Amino acid sequence: MTRFWLSLLTLTLLAVGAPGARAQEADTTAMDWSAVPEYRIVPGDVLELNFGPRPEAPGQDAIRRQRVRPDGRISVFPIGDVVAAGRTPAELQATLLALLAADLRQPRVTVEVAEVAGNQVHVLGRVKKPDSYAVGPFFTLAQAIARAGGFEDDAARNSVLVFRRDGARTVRVARVALDRSLKKGSLAADLPLSRFDIVYVPRSTIGNVDVFVRQFFGETQPLLSSALVGWQLFNLDRVYVTTPITP
């Protein structure tokens, strides 16, 4: 069923375009690891919250494990529900400390991701096998294209779009001249992908990215919410912002 929706989404969005050369698997050992985006929590992750030593059990810490619910929240006593999804562990830790300070004199908590919910990227458009793919960490754009069977002959290989969620109501967008960069032997355009990123290969060069993105999500948002893992509860219809994704 997922493959059906992805194929339908691809057919809905195709424009007219030009051919280029196939992307090759990238050597991830050559990446600048400092450029890899900091991990952000998503629904399904299991978090370990350490509240420090337990008064009734010397030498033991008060540790709680919480799975992030589909609505992106966890329940923390005595605060109640707190939004975890979209935040880095450090950001969530700072938020919890600030909230706990209202009830405790010296609040203490550390946040670690004990289990990740899984890692998928969605590759759509003019590739041979558009689909959602389970991938490991530090997966790159060129690897995603290769996993999807490579470019179709009519793909706009220097106008590849990467969509990334940035919270519940914001999408960040990058337009990448991938083929041109790889032909020069440069990995500068081979973006490290984040979990649930959408890679879209159009048939023609996208002139106005802002207009295209509004059409992309405006026309297909219900389809995205139901078909693509990681894009559920995405409210682009309420607030829309585009900012570049930098390598």
Side-chain angles (χ1 to χ4, degrees), residues 49-107:
L49 310 179
N50 188 328
F51 295 94
R54 298 170 56 186
E56 73 281 8
Q60 297 183 21
D61 287 347
I63 297 175
R64 299 288 183 271
R65 283 201 170 198
Q66 291 270 354
R67 185 177 297 277
V68 182
R69 303 195 306 253
D71 63 1
R73 292 167 171 79
I74 58 173
S75 296
V76 181
F77 181 83
I79 304 168
D81 285 354
V82 179
V83 174
R87 290 176 163 145
T88 67
E91 289 170 349
L92 177 58
Q93 180 174 308
T95 297
L96 292 177
L97 285 171
L99 293 171
L100 288 169
D103 295 285
L104 304 175
R105 278 189 171 185
Q106 294 181 317

Side-chain angles (χ1 to χ4, degrees), residues 140-161:
T140 70
L141 178 57
Q143 288 176 312
I145 298 295
R147 179 71 66 86
F151 290 120
E152 290 282 13
D153 290 339
D154 60 353
R157 307 171 190 218
N158 290 309
S159 195
V160 179
L161 298 180

Side-chain angles (χ1 to χ4, degrees), residues 127-151:
V127 291
K128 294 189 178 298
K129 296 183 291 184
D131 206 342
S132 297
Y133 293 93
V135 299
F138 314 122
F139 201 69
T140 70
L141 178 57
Q143 288 176 312
I145 298 295
R147 179 71 66 86
F151 290 120

Side-chain angles (χ1 to χ4, degrees), residues 209-237:
V209 173
D210 185 72
V211 171
F212 179 83
V213 174
R214 289 178 185 275
Q215 293 174 344
F216 185 101
F217 286 96
E219 295 174 2
T220 65
Q221 194 271 338
L223 191 59
L224 286 170
S225 295
S226 62
L228 299 185
V229 174
W231 290 81
Q232 300 93 333
L233 306 177
F234 186 57
N235 297 320
L236 186 64
D237 56 324

